[in-house]
Amino acid sequence: MLDQKTIDIIKSTVPVLEKHGETITTRFYQLMFGNHPELLNIFNHANQKQGRQQKALAGTVYAAAMYIDNLEAILPVVKQIAHKHRSLGIKPEHYPIVGKHLLLAIKDVLGDAATDEIINAWAEAYNVIADAFISVEAEMYDEATNQDGGWDGFRSFIVDRKVVESDVITSFYLKPADHKGISSFIPGQYISIKLEIEGEKYTHIRQYSLSDSPGKDYYRMSVKREAGTANPDGMVSNFLHDGVNEGDILNISAPAGDFVLDMEKTNPVVLLSGGVGLTPMLSMLKTVVEMQPGRNVTFVHAAANSNVHALRDEVEELAALDHVKSYIFYDAPTEEDRVNNRFDVEGFITRDWLNDKVAIGEADFYFCGPVPFMKAMNRSLKELGVNEDRIHFEFFGPKGSLED
Ligand SMILES: Cc1cc2nc3c(=O)[nH]c(=O)nc-3n(C[C@H](O)[C@H](O)[C@H](O)COP(=O)(O)OP(=O)(O)OC[C@H]3O[C@@H](n4cnc5c(N)ncnc54)[C@H](O)[C@@H]3O)c2cc1C
Ligand code: HEM
C-alpha cells in the first residue's frame, strides 16, 4: 500500500495533470508507439486520429489516482475497461510499457515542475492501479478460457452465412472452424475480431455486439458499413462487407462486456436503439422472449428510413406476442414508407413520447446508438425522473460522457 505522503502528492498533482490532459496523452502515445510499434496491432488507429482513446486511457489513470486509497470505489469502471482489455488480449506484460511511457510523457510536458518526488509517487500509484486491472483481468481470462466452449485469445471461425439486412447493415453467422462448442454469452455482450487486411501493415481489431440470442451453434454479428464523408471509409466494416465472404475465416475472442440484460429482474424492460445500435437490443429482445416469457418488453427503434432499417422481420415476428411492443421511428421516411405505413412515428424519440408510451416508473431502460441519440435518451429519462440504476447504455467506441 502507498504511504500517506505519496497519496497526498498524487491527489495534489491530479488537477495539474488533468489540465495538461491531452498534451500529455498525445505525447504518451507518440512515445509509446515510437518505441513499441507492435502495439499498433492492438490499438484502434481511427480512435487515435480522432483523439477519443487519448482521453479515455490517461483520463482514467487520473480518475483512478483520485481514488488511489480506495480503488474498490471504482471497481465497476475497472471491470468495464477490463472486459475490453480481455477481449483485445491485453496482458500483464503490457502494463509496464504503458506506465513507463506515461511517466516519460508527464516529465516531458511538465518539465522541471515534475520533480523526482512527483514522478516516483506516480510510478508507485500507477503500479497500484495496474495491479488492480491485472487481477480483475486475470479472473476474466480464466473465466473466458475455462467455461464450457470457452477459449483463450483469438479462435478461428468460419463465416457460415453472410446476410444483407439493409442498404448498410450485413450479418455474419460465425461457426467455430474446429467444430467444437462455443461459450454462451449474456445478451448485450460483444466479440472482438482481429483482421489482417491485405496491404495493411498492422492487424486491426474491432468489437461487434452479438445480435442473436445465446444458445445457438453460431455467433451472429451485424455490421454497418461506415462510409466516410469528409474522412476515410471505415477500415474494418468496409473490408467485412466487401472482402469477407461465406467460407472465409475470422479470428475472434470470446464474448465480453458488462452491458448486459439483467435477467434476475422481472420488471418491464424498454430497449431503445438508433441505427446499428439495434444489435445488442435485438439480442436482448429475443432473449427476453425465449427466457422470460411474460416479461413486458418494449422495443423502440429509430432509423432514417426503411432503406437502412435492418432486421425488421425478426422484431415484427416477436411483436405479435402479447407481452412485446414494438415502435418504429423514421426521421427521413421515403415516399414508399409513407404509402405503405412502414413506420409508427416520424421524427425522433422524444421525452414526451416516452412518458406517454412506456412504463417510466417501473422499467429498466437499455439504449445504444449514435452519441447524440444516446445523449437525448439519457437526458429524457433523467428528466422523467428515471434513476441511474435503471439506465444502461453501450457506446460503440471508447466510453464517453452523456452529460454534456
Ligand atoms: C462494444 C462495441 C460494440 C459494437 N457493436 C457494433 C455492432 O454491433 N455493429 C457495428 O456495425 N458496429 C459495432 N461497433 C463499432 C465497431 O467496433 C467499429 O468501430 C465500426 O465497425 C467502425 O470500424 P471501421 O474499422 O469500419 O472504421 P474505422 O476505420 O475504425 O473508422 C471509424 C470512423 O472514423 C473515421 N475515420 C477513419 N480514419 C479517420 C481519420 N484519419 N480522421 C478522422 N476520422 C477518421 C471513419 O470515417 C469512421 O467514421 C461496436 C463497437 C463497440 C465498442
Ligand atoms: C492502468 C492502465 C490502463 C488504464 C487506466 C486503461 C484505460 C483504458 C480505457 C478507459 C479504455 C477505453 C475503454 C472503453 O472502450 O470504454 C481503454 C481501452 C483500451 N486499452 Fe487500456 N488502459 C490501461 C492499460 C492498457 C494497456 C497496458 C494496454 C496495452 C498496451 C491498453 C490497451 C488498450 C486498448 C488497445 C484499448 C482499446 C481502445 C482503442 O484501441 O481504441 N490499455 N483502456
Side-chain angles (χ1 to χ4, degrees):
M1 205 42 228
L2 302 178
D3 60 32
Q4 194 54 45
K5 189 171 174 216
T6 310
I7 293 173
D8 292 342
I9 295 175
I10 294 299
K11 290 195 173 179
S12 65
T13 48
V14 166
V16 186
L17 296 185
E18 275 177 337
K19 205 175 116 220
H20 293 279
E22 280 183 51
T23 328
I24 294 175
T25 46
T26 305
R27 186 76 188 119
F28 155 67
Y29 280 109
Q30 273 169 0
L31 290 166
M32 187 170 77
F33 291 138
N35 289 332
H36 290 273
E38 77 281 3
L39 291 180
L40 287 165
N41 286 307
I42 313 181
F43 280 86
N44 178 323
H45 304 199
N47 287 349
Q48 289 289 324
K49 300 236 167 66
Q50 295 170 328
R52 293 200 283 179
Q53 180 56 22
Q54 277 85 327
K55 286 181 201 142
L57 197 158
T60 308
V61 173
Y62 306 147
M66 284 311 278
Y67 289 92
I68 194 70
D69 45 356
N70 179 22
L71 283 178
E72 279 291 304
I74 56 156
L75 198 59
V77 180
V78 173
K79 282 194 170 158
Q80 182 257 325
I81 299 164
H83 270 286
K84 186 76 70 70
H85 282 166
R86 200 280 289 150
S87 163
L88 288 156
I90 307 303
K91 290 289 169 66
E93 57 268 29
H94 290 125
Y95 280 85
I97 303 176
V98 164
K100 176 182 157 191
H101 292 92
L102 195 55
L103 292 179
L104 282 174
I106 290 174
K107 237 183 143 41
D108 245 28
V109 173
L110 296 192
D112 289 345
T115 60
D116 284 352
E117 197 180 37
I118 292 177
I119 291 294
N120 291 337
W122 272 94
E124 281 189 58
Y126 175 80
N127 286 340
V128 171
I129 297 166
D131 284 348
F133 276 86
I134 290 168
S135 74
V136 171
E137 284 160 22
E139 276 175 38
M140 290 179 177
Y141 277 108
D142 193 47
E143 197 193 331
T145 310
N146 295 319
Q147 65 187 312
D148 272 357
W151 70 96
D152 186 25
F154 287 83
R155 177 175 171 192
S156 299
F157 278 67
I158 299 176
V159 178
D160 187 54
R161 281 202 295 145
K162 181 177 175 186
V163 179
V164 173
E165 310 280 10
S166 79
D167 284 2
V168 290
I169 297 178
T170 290
S171 289
F172 297 82
Y173 290 73
L174 308 172
K175 288 189 173 177
D178 58 14
H179 303 295
K180 294 188 178 151
I182 53 173
S183 50
S184 191
F185 64 93
I186 315 176
Q189 289 193 306
Y190 56 82
I191 49 172
S192 283
I193 69 167
K194 176 153 77 176
L195 282 177
E196 280 174 34
I197 299 178
E198 219 186 304
E200 281 292 310
K201 196 163 163 199
Y202 298 104
T203 55
H204 292 273
I205 305 180
R206 296 290 185 274
Q207 288 71 46
Y208 292 99
S209 301
L210 295 165
S211 63
D212 208 338
S213 50
K216 313 279 192 297
D217 65 349
Y218 59 82
Y219 295 130
R220 181 177 72 177
M221 59 178 192
S222 305
V223 178
K224 179 187 168 208
R225 182 197 283 282
E226 290 296 341
T229 36
N231 299 315
D233 283 349
M235 172 85 68
V236 168
S237 59
N238 282 280
F239 181 75
L240 287 168
H241 275 248
D242 300 333
V244 173
N245 293 304
E246 290 176 1
D248 287 348
I249 297 279
L250 291 176
N251 293 313
I252 73 176
S253 63
D258 66 345
F259 173 67
V260 290
L261 175 68
D262 185 346
M263 283 183 279
E264 303 276 293
K265 288 189 167 181
T266 53
N267 63 331
V269 57
V270 178
L271 308 172
L272 305 160
S273 57
V276 75
L278 96 168
T279 52
M281 301 306 154
L282 181 56
S283 178
M284 290 185 188
L285 172 66
K286 295 179 101 169
T287 308
V288 171
V289 168
E290 286 165 23
M291 297 180 58
Q292 299 192 289
R295 185 175 186 185
N296 282 325
V297 51
T298 306
F299 188 92
V300 190
H301 181 57
N305 53 47
S306 61
N307 296 335
V308 291
H309 182 177
L311 296 154
R312 174 188 186 117
D313 294 350
E314 287 186 23
V315 176
E316 240 162 42
E317 196 183 308
L318 302 179
L321 297 165
D322 278 348
H323 65 108
V324 180
K325 283 200 182 88
S326 155
Y327 298 96
I328 297 168
F329 281 69
Y330 285 166
D331 60 275
T334 62
E335 212 31 59
E336 218 186 331
D337 292 337
R338 289 182 201 284
V339 172
N340 297 317
N341 277 329
R342 292 197 37 94
F343 57 100
D344 299 298
V345 185
E346 180 164 352
F348 297 120
I349 305 169
T350 62
R351 185 190 61 185
D352 291 347
W353 184 89
L354 286 168
N355 200 19
D356 247 22
K357 299 284 187 194
V358 304
I360 282 293
E362 311 162 58
D364 265 56
F365 294 84
Y366 294 81
F367 57 83
C368 182
V371 174
F373 168 88
M374 301 225 294
K375 286 186 174 173
M377 293 305 102
N378 191 51
R379 198 180 319 116
S380 297
L381 294 173
K382 293 242 167 98
E383 283 171 9
L384 292 168
V386 180
N387 204 293
E388 268 183 14
D389 63 359
R390 290 194 284 125
I391 300 181
H392 320 271
F393 50 83
E394 178 78 300
F395 277 90
F396 275 3
K399 212 179 178 97
S401 166
L402 289 183
E403 299 302 333
D404 42 308

